[in-house]
Amino acid sequence: MEKVNIPLAAEGLSTYAAQRLAGFEQHRLGDTYRQPETRHEWIRDILRGMAEVCGQDAAPFLQSFERRLTDAHGASAVEVLSPADQKHMIRNLDRYASALGRMEGDQRSRIFHARELLEEVCAYLPWDPDTNGARSARDRAWEQLQRAVAQRPIRFTRILLGDELDPGGVEFLPGMVNDEESVQRTQEFQRLTVEYPKRKEWPALCVVCMGGGRREDAGTIDADGLDMAVIREAGEAFMKRPEVRPVWSHQLAVPVHEQIRVLKVEPGRAPEEVTMPNTLEAFQSAVGGYIETLGLDGGVMLICNEDGKTAGLSANRRIGRDIIAGTFLIVCAEDGEFCSLTDGTAAHYAERFAEPISEPCPEGLKEFTFYIM
């Protein structure tokens, strides 16, 4: 296996980052484009990893990388990589990911960063991923990452919703799952209950699986966030890997929670009528955190993220002198319980909140009193 040429790789990565940064600076429109700092963090980690693989000091390469970024800020033009230089950069990333796969210890995050950068390169329109080899290198890095996850002594559960005669779907959760509440909280279960509102329950087959070729629970750990991201992306293909073994299964009949009709109001978008489970978990998922409620007129409630402003969520709609930050829901309430909106109430609040706002959220006390239901 050829070795990583870290000076050549560092030069290519720095030039690529500067080229992308200059393009971002010249064409960004508010928050339309993804901030480039994520890419820069990937490259910094890759340079540190390459230096470790090659037994060299990463500091000079990182310092050069930072200088190139500084020079690219506000630049009207920057150096671009030729097709030949693109190939050199990709080839060294490919060698680096392969070297990580042979190293001792947990190299998942470094392989992940290399794969994410290659994925981004494949989507970069000025470059041809088939000509410069990015597509093939990305696929090999993805295989390295799946293998690194599958070889760990992890435990996770594949949940199959529905049966041979039912429409359904698959969800993956960390650890051992064999209870109704865990299944009810999954996105797939919530999707199905909205799509098929007349169903009262869903059959669920929970299959506990282990990585590393293990068949017994001793010494295993629950799959972590990175493991689960890889497992969910790979899907059924991950289950076919030789390192992964199903070890235990359990059949459940999972009852469907009551579905209610609500008005969902997102920043910058028109209000939308949706049907969703009448559960705390569903409301928290919709607003992106712990909920807070605001009483409006005639038994109507506004449900929002209680930390929306402090978390820096986008300004959404104005209510009196206050501004609600982040996505919120409009529901009815009766006897202390949330319930569906009527046709008239839904139409009234859809008109009231039709126009989004673009002003920032002010600091200070709210005009209304919030309380938890």
Side-chain angles (χ1 to χ4, degrees), residues 17-76:
Q19 181 179 344
R20 296 299 303 270
L21 180 60
F24 172 84
E25 293 280 349
Q26 293 164 16
H27 300 103
R28 63 179 173 178
L29 297 172
D31 295 328
T32 302
Y33 290 84
R34 182 180 61 115
Q35 293 293 329
E37 187 53 38
T38 300
R39 178 190 309 119
H40 299 163
E41 284 302 318
W42 293 341
I43 294 176
R44 291 184 186 105
D45 182 67
I46 289 168
L47 291 175
R48 286 190 288 265
M50 283 183 171
E52 183 176 328
V53 166
C54 298
Q56 298 186 38
D57 181 10
F61 304 109
L62 291 169
Q63 291 167 3
S64 177
F65 176 67
E66 300 301 336
R67 286 195 298 270
R68 294 291 291 277
L69 293 184
T70 300
D71 292 342
H73 277 290
S76 58

Side-chain angles (χ1 to χ4, degrees), residues 4 113 267 336:
V4 176
H113 291 153

Side-chain angles (χ1 to χ4, degrees), residues 35-302:
Q35 293 293 329
E37 187 53 38
T38 300
R39 178 190 309 119
H40 299 163
E41 284 302 318
W42 293 341
I43 294 176
R44 291 184 186 105
D45 182 67
I46 289 168
L47 291 175
R48 286 190 288 265
M50 283 183 171
E52 183 176 328
V53 166
C54 298
Q56 298 186 38
D57 181 10
F61 304 109
L62 291 169
Q63 291 167 3
S64 177
F65 176 67
E66 300 301 336
R67 286 195 298 270
R68 294 291 291 277
L69 293 184
T70 300
D71 292 342
H73 277 290
S76 58
V78 294
E79 178 186 356
V80 298
L81 285 175
S82 68
D85 290 334
Q86 294 173 26
K87 289 182 179 179
H88 289 311
M89 186 190 90
I90 300 302
R91 189 176 299 121
N92 279 288
L93 277 172
D94 193 12
R95 294 170 183 170
Y96 168 61
S98 296
L100 290 174
R102 299 190 301 272
M103 291 179 65
E104 296 292 331
D106 185 3
Q107 304 297 331
R108 290 174 304 146
S109 64
R110 284 183 167 171
I111 300 173
F112 173 78
H113 291 153
R115 187 258 184 170
E116 290 296 289
L117 185 62
L118 287 164
E119 184 78 56
E120 183 191 73
V121 168
C122 287
Y124 186 38
L125 293 179
W127 291 16
D128 183 346
D130 293 313
T131 300
N132 62 26
R135 198 183 308 277
S136 297
R138 176 204 61 187
D139 293 345
R140 285 190 288 271
W142 175 231
E143 170 60 24
Q144 292 276 4
L145 183 57
Q146 291 184 73
R147 183 183 301 117
V149 171
Q151 289 175 343
R152 280 164 48 80
I154 57 172
R155 181 177 61 176
F156 66 95
T157 303
R158 173 186 181 269
I159 302 172
L160 173 64
L161 290 161
D163 54 33
E164 294 181 355
L165 301 179
D166 276 321
V170 173
E171 181 76 79
F172 295 92
L173 292 179
M176 179 182 291
V177 177
N178 60 357
D179 63 287
E180 296 175 0
E181 290 186 3
S182 295
V183 176
Q184 288 168 339
R185 287 196 294 267
T186 64
Q187 293 182 356
E188 188 63 24
F189 183 82
Q190 294 185 21
R191 181 189 71 81
L192 289 172
T193 56
V194 170
E195 191 169 343
Y196 301 93
K198 295 183 179 180
R199 289 292 299 265
K200 299 301 181 184
E201 66 178 24
W202 281 92
L205 177 63
C206 301
V207 179
V208 177
C209 305
M210 295 182 185
R214 291 172 177 256
R215 293 186 180 276
E216 297 182 359
D217 195 49
T220 60
I221 56 175
D222 289 350
D224 63 19
L226 181 52
D227 293 327
M228 294 310 305
V230 171
I231 292 169
R232 287 171 179 141
E233 183 175 347
E236 294 300 286
F238 192 83
M239 299 292 297
K240 298 177 182 178
R241 298 194 64 89
E243 307 94 337
V244 176
R245 299 182 186 276
V247 296
W248 178 85
S249 65
H250 184 67
Q251 186 79 41
L252 295 171
V254 185
V256 176
H257 288 297
E258 174 196 10
Q259 303 289 304
I260 62 172
R261 176 191 186 189
V262 308
L263 196 66
K264 185 176 183 180
V265 186
E266 298 180 86
R269 301 182 63 178
E272 176 188 13
E273 286 189 32
V274 299
T275 302
M276 62 186 296
N278 189 8
T279 65
L280 175 63
E281 291 80 11
F283 297 135
Q284 289 177 334
S285 176
V287 304
Y290 292 114
I291 68 169
E292 200 163 18
T293 61
L294 165 64
L296 300 177
D297 303 321
V300 177
M301 307 297 298
L302 183 151

